[in-house]
Amino acid sequence: MSPLSPTLELTCELIRRNSVTPEDAGCQELMIQRLEAVGFHITRLPFGEVENFWAVRGDKGPTLCFAGHTDVVPTGPEGDWTYPPFDPHIESGMLYGRGAADMKGSLAAMITAVEAFVHDHPNHRGQIAFLITSDEEGIAADGTVKVVEWLQERKAMPDWCLVGEPSSTSTIGDVVKNGRRGSLGGELIVKGTQGHVAYPHLADNPIHRVAPALTDLTAENWDNGNDFFPATSFQVSNIQGGTGATNVIPGSIHIVFNFRFSTEVTEQQLRERTEAILEKHCLDYEIQWHLSGQPFLTAEGELVDAIVSSIQEITGLNTELSTAGGTSDGRFIAPFGTQVVELGPVNATIHKVDECASVADIDQLSVIYQRILEKLLS
């Protein structure tokens, strides 16, 4: 086999480190060594059991920050994998291993792009920064959100942030994420009265009571979306009720649901409208709300322009700007005025058995990142 490119070699070194969230397993130290070698100042920022670091090169002017995570999701039974998940394997132009697409390939591409850019532009304008965490795939409580608080205290929030999440659909750069929908979860308990199914007049079935309310919630038109966001979606993800016996009416039912919402509606409006529907059906209920992130959008500006033109020049593609998909750590960075865009490998196999990424895509991603740097900081 021919020698690996620097980007692929680094990707493989990262994959070999078993960094299941919130473990980092030495990935960040490997990145730090490479960044220090090209003049970055490193600040390690551990919070709880989570490793984070902030790295910066340059001391004034606009800041372009590369953001990402070294942690990966669990593999599941390793025997289900064609190749061991932490032993990178290249077959038919694809690199297999946990994190190949999400997002160790992106991290390696960031490092090699910056190394090449600094070599060509040692006196570049502005600042290059890295915000790296090992908490993105977990509860996300001690990672990027804490580093952002630290940056705010120092008035050091970056102007632009390029997140390495796997944004592409079919080939590198065909889709970038210039925003994300908000995520609002709810845990609903509807109370009734337990009893024998043969004597329903002596009980109160909460499943029967909540069913019409769920019908109304699923049929509700929360908004119509806009040019950048699809309409807000309400989805029930879990329902638990009953004792397991066929002859017992349950005393309560537990329902978990989630809104993925656009900028056309607020978190508070969703809460109020949901509770109004529950009240309309005269339910005896308790509800707990969990906001994972507000929607954000980087509709236009220097970062979007640089990314779109770089992809077109390198790949020939006219990239699609999208806000679809789940949440990312960009939700913690965008609220403070930073332009945030996500660009990374194809996402078809992320979190799956036999996760993989195209060898050619990983190498090309480094070239695209380097071109973005040239457009913004050279």
Side-chain angles (χ1 to χ4, degrees), residues 265-280:
V265 66
T266 67
E267 167 205 354
Q268 189 61 34
Q269 289 171 333
L270 291 173
R271 292 187 184 203
E272 291 173 355
R273 289 170 62 183
T274 298
E275 292 175 13
I277 290 172
L278 298 175
E279 295 286 348
K280 183 183 76 171

PDB file of all heavy atoms in Angstrom, residues 265-280:
ATOM      1  N   VAL A 265     -40.636  30.562  15.792  1.00  0.00           N
ATOM      2  CA  VAL A 265     -41.333  30.371  17.060  1.00  0.00           C
ATOM      3  C   VAL A 265     -40.291  30.338  18.165  1.00  0.00           C
ATOM      4  O   VAL A 265     -39.152  29.929  17.958  1.00  0.00           O
ATOM      5  CB  VAL A 265     -42.169  29.066  17.030  1.00  0.00           C
ATOM      6  CG1 VAL A 265     -41.267  27.849  16.945  1.00  0.00           C
ATOM      7  CG2 VAL A 265     -43.090  28.956  18.227  1.00  0.00           C
ATOM      8  N   THR A 266     -40.667  30.775  19.355  1.00  0.00           N
ATOM      9  CA  THR A 266     -39.732  30.792  20.482  1.00  0.00           C
ATOM     10  C   THR A 266     -39.970  29.597  21.394  1.00  0.00           C
ATOM     11  O   THR A 266     -41.047  28.976  21.377  1.00  0.00           O
ATOM     12  CB  THR A 266     -39.875  32.080  21.307  1.00  0.00           C
ATOM     13  OG1 THR A 266     -41.154  32.079  21.960  1.00  0.00           O
ATOM     14  CG2 THR A 266     -39.744  33.310  20.431  1.00  0.00           C
ATOM     15  N   GLU A 267     -38.972  29.323  22.203  1.00  0.00           N
ATOM     16  CA  GLU A 267     -39.098  28.274  23.212  1.00  0.00           C
ATOM     17  C   GLU A 267     -40.308  28.535  24.112  1.00  0.00           C
ATOM     18  O   GLU A 267     -41.097  27.618  24.407  1.00  0.00           O
ATOM     19  CB  GLU A 267     -37.820  28.227  24.053  1.00  0.00           C
ATOM     20  CG  GLU A 267     -37.914  27.412  25.313  1.00  0.00           C
ATOM     21  CD  GLU A 267     -36.928  27.859  26.376  1.00  0.00           C
ATOM     22  OE1 GLU A 267     -36.089  28.740  26.110  1.00  0.00           O
ATOM     23  OE2 GLU A 267     -37.008  27.315  27.495  1.00  0.00           O
ATOM     24  N   GLN A 268     -40.474  29.777  24.557  1.00  0.00           N
ATOM     25  CA  GLN A 268     -41.575  30.106  25.455  1.00  0.00           C
ATOM     26  C   GLN A 268     -42.924  29.894  24.786  1.00  0.00           C
ATOM     27  O   GLN A 268     -43.871  29.389  25.405  1.00  0.00           O
ATOM     28  CB  GLN A 268     -41.445  31.558  25.936  1.00  0.00           C
ATOM     29  CG  GLN A 268     -42.427  31.938  27.035  1.00  0.00           C
ATOM     30  CD  GLN A 268     -42.260  31.101  28.294  1.00  0.00           C
ATOM     31  OE1 GLN A 268     -41.151  30.701  28.649  1.00  0.00           O
ATOM     32  NE2 GLN A 268     -43.370  30.829  28.968  1.00  0.00           N
ATOM     33  N   GLN A 269     -43.039  30.255  23.519  1.00  0.00           N
ATOM     34  CA  GLN A 269     -44.297  30.045  22.802  1.00  0.00           C
ATOM     35  C   GLN A 269     -44.629  28.561  22.683  1.00  0.00           C
ATOM     36  O   GLN A 269     -45.791  28.167  22.834  1.00  0.00           O
ATOM     37  CB  GLN A 269     -44.210  30.672  21.410  1.00  0.00           C
ATOM     38  CG  GLN A 269     -44.224  32.191  21.426  1.00  0.00           C
ATOM     39  CD  GLN A 269     -43.914  32.787  20.067  1.00  0.00           C
ATOM     40  OE1 GLN A 269     -43.225  32.186  19.238  1.00  0.00           O
ATOM     41  NE2 GLN A 269     -44.421  33.993  19.828  1.00  0.00           N
ATOM     42  N   LEU A 270     -43.627  27.723  22.449  1.00  0.00           N
ATOM     43  CA  LEU A 270     -43.863  26.291  22.358  1.00  0.00           C
ATOM     44  C   LEU A 270     -44.349  25.730  23.695  1.00  0.00           C
ATOM     45  O   LEU A 270     -45.263  24.893  23.748  1.00  0.00           O
ATOM     46  CB  LEU A 270     -42.594  25.565  21.911  1.00  0.00           C
ATOM     47  CG  LEU A 270     -42.156  25.817  20.471  1.00  0.00           C
ATOM     48  CD1 LEU A 270     -40.799  25.166  20.215  1.00  0.00           C
ATOM     49  CD2 LEU A 270     -43.193  25.290  19.486  1.00  0.00           C
ATOM     50  N   ARG A 271     -43.737  26.161  24.758  1.00  0.00           N
ATOM     51  CA  ARG A 271     -44.168  25.711  26.085  1.00  0.00           C
ATOM     52  C   ARG A 271     -45.625  26.114  26.346  1.00  0.00           C
ATOM     53  O   ARG A 271     -46.449  25.294  26.780  1.00  0.00           O
ATOM     54  CB  ARG A 271     -43.269  26.307  27.170  1.00  0.00           C
ATOM     55  CG  ARG A 271     -41.840  25.808  27.174  1.00  0.00           C
ATOM     56  CD  ARG A 271     -41.122  26.354  28.393  1.00  0.00           C
ATOM     57  NE  ARG A 271     -39.713  25.988  28.411  1.00  0.00           N
ATOM     58  CZ  ARG A 271     -38.978  25.948  29.518  1.00  0.00           C
ATOM     59  NH1 ARG A 271     -39.524  26.239  30.690  1.00  0.00           N
ATOM     60  NH2 ARG A 271     -37.710  25.618  29.470  1.00  0.00           N
ATOM     61  N   GLU A 272     -45.920  27.391  26.100  1.00  0.00           N
ATOM     62  CA  GLU A 272     -47.251  27.900  26.405  1.00  0.00           C
ATOM     63  C   GLU A 272     -48.316  27.222  25.552  1.00  0.00           C
ATOM     64  O   GLU A 272     -49.398  26.862  26.049  1.00  0.00           O
ATOM     65  CB  GLU A 272     -47.280  29.416  26.206  1.00  0.00           C
ATOM     66  CG  GLU A 272     -46.454  30.183  27.240  1.00  0.00           C
ATOM     67  CD  GLU A 272     -46.355  31.664  26.934  1.00  0.00           C
ATOM     68  OE1 GLU A 272     -46.860  32.078  25.851  1.00  0.00           O
ATOM     69  OE2 GLU A 272     -45.784  32.409  27.750  1.00  0.00           O
ATOM     70  N   ARG A 273     -48.045  27.027  24.281  1.00  0.00           N
ATOM     71  CA  ARG A 273     -49.037  26.412  23.401  1.00  0.00           C
ATOM     72  C   ARG A 273     -49.244  24.938  23.745  1.00  0.00           C
ATOM     73  O   ARG A 273     -50.358  24.423  23.681  1.00  0.00           O
ATOM     74  CB  ARG A 273     -48.616  26.595  21.941  1.00  0.00           C
ATOM     75  CG  ARG A 273     -48.745  28.033  21.459  1.00  0.00           C
ATOM     76  CD  ARG A 273     -48.098  28.256  20.108  1.00  0.00           C
ATOM     77  NE  ARG A 273     -48.717  27.463  19.056  1.00  0.00           N
ATOM     78  CZ  ARG A 273     -48.279  27.436  17.791  1.00  0.00           C
ATOM     79  NH1 ARG A 273     -47.214  28.184  17.449  1.00  0.00           N
ATOM     80  NH2 ARG A 273     -48.875  26.693  16.887  1.00  0.00           N
ATOM     81  N   THR A 274     -48.158  24.257  24.109  1.00  0.00           N
ATOM     82  CA  THR A 274     -48.281  22.854  24.520  1.00  0.00           C
ATOM     83  C   THR A 274     -49.140  22.730  25.778  1.00  0.00           C
ATOM     84  O   THR A 274     -50.071  21.905  25.847  1.00  0.00           O
ATOM     85  CB  THR A 274     -46.892  22.255  24.786  1.00  0.00           C
ATOM     86  OG1 THR A 274     -46.121  22.293  23.587  1.00  0.00           O
ATOM     87  CG2 THR A 274     -47.003  20.811  25.267  1.00  0.00           C
ATOM     88  N   GLU A 275     -48.842  23.550  26.761  1.00  0.00           N
ATOM     89  CA  GLU A 275     -49.575  23.466  28.013  1.00  0.00           C
ATOM     90  C   GLU A 275     -51.035  23.892  27.843  1.00  0.00           C
ATOM     91  O   GLU A 275     -51.929  23.373  28.524  1.00  0.00           O
ATOM     92  CB  GLU A 275     -48.863  24.290  29.079  1.00  0.00           C
ATOM     93  CG  GLU A 275     -47.511  23.675  29.460  1.00  0.00           C
ATOM     94  CD  GLU A 275     -46.695  24.519  30.428  1.00  0.00           C
ATOM     95  OE1 GLU A 275     -47.267  25.474  31.007  1.00  0.00           O
ATOM     96  OE2 GLU A 275     -45.497  24.218  30.611  1.00  0.00           O
ATOM     97  N   ALA A 276     -51.305  24.800  26.899  1.00  0.00           N
ATOM     98  CA  ALA A 276     -52.694  25.183  26.626  1.00  0.00           C
ATOM     99  C   ALA A 276     -53.484  24.003  26.063  1.00  0.00           C
ATOM    100  O   ALA A 276     -54.663  23.803  26.416  1.00  0.00           O
ATOM    101  CB  ALA A 276     -52.728  26.357  25.651  1.00  0.00           C
ATOM    102  N   ILE A 277     -52.865  23.200  25.219  1.00  0.00           N
ATOM    103  CA  ILE A 277     -53.531  22.011  24.682  1.00  0.00           C
ATOM    104  C   ILE A 277     -53.783  20.994  25.785  1.00  0.00           C
ATOM    105  O   ILE A 277     -54.861  20.391  25.871  1.00  0.00           O
ATOM    106  CB  ILE A 277     -52.692  21.406  23.541  1.00  0.00           C
ATOM    107  CG1 ILE A 277     -52.722  22.339  22.310  1.00  0.00           C
ATOM    108  CG2 ILE A 277     -53.182  20.002  23.161  1.00  0.00           C
ATOM    109  CD1 ILE A 277     -51.781  21.936  21.208  1.00  0.00           C
ATOM    110  N   LEU A 278     -52.808  20.802  26.657  1.00  0.00           N
ATOM    111  CA  LEU A 278     -52.994  19.875  27.770  1.00  0.00           C
ATOM    112  C   LEU A 278     -54.116  20.348  28.698  1.00  0.00           C
ATOM    113  O   LEU A 278     -54.934  19.547  29.173  1.00  0.00           O
ATOM    114  CB  LEU A 278     -51.686  19.718  28.548  1.00  0.00           C
ATOM    115  CG  LEU A 278     -50.493  19.141  27.767  1.00  0.00           C
ATOM    116  CD1 LEU A 278     -49.237  19.164  28.629  1.00  0.00           C
ATOM    117  CD2 LEU A 278     -50.775  17.734  27.270  1.00  0.00           C
ATOM    118  N   GLU A 279     -54.156  21.647  28.945  1.00  0.00           N
ATOM    119  CA  GLU A 279     -55.204  22.195  29.808  1.00  0.00           C
ATOM    120  C   GLU A 279     -56.581  22.042  29.162  1.00  0.00           C
ATOM    121  O   GLU A 279     -57.583  21.769  29.851  1.00  0.00           O
ATOM    122  CB  GLU A 279     -54.930  23.683  30.092  1.00  0.00           C
ATOM    123  CG  GLU A 279     -53.662  23.959  30.883  1.00  0.00           C
ATOM    124  CD  GLU A 279     -53.797  23.590  32.353  1.00  0.00           C
ATOM    125  OE1 GLU A 279     -54.922  23.341  32.812  1.00  0.00           O
ATOM    126  OE2 GLU A 279     -52.748  23.540  33.039  1.00  0.00           O
ATOM    127  N   LYS A 280     -56.637  22.204  27.850  1.00  0.00           N
ATOM    128  CA  LYS A 280     -57.913  22.085  27.144  1.00  0.00           C
ATOM    129  C   LYS A 280     -58.551  20.719  27.361  1.00  0.00           C
ATOM    130  O   LYS A 280     -59.779  20.584  27.425  1.00  0.00           O
ATOM    131  CB  LYS A 280     -57.696  22.337  25.648  1.00  0.00           C
ATOM    132  CG  LYS A 280     -58.972  22.298  24.819  1.00  0.00           C
ATOM    133  CD  LYS A 280     -58.675  22.486  23.340  1.00  0.00           C
ATOM    134  CE  LYS A 280     -58.101  21.212  22.728  1.00  0.00           C
ATOM    135  NZ  LYS A 280     -58.000  21.304  21.250  1.00  0.00           N
TER     136      LYS A 280
END
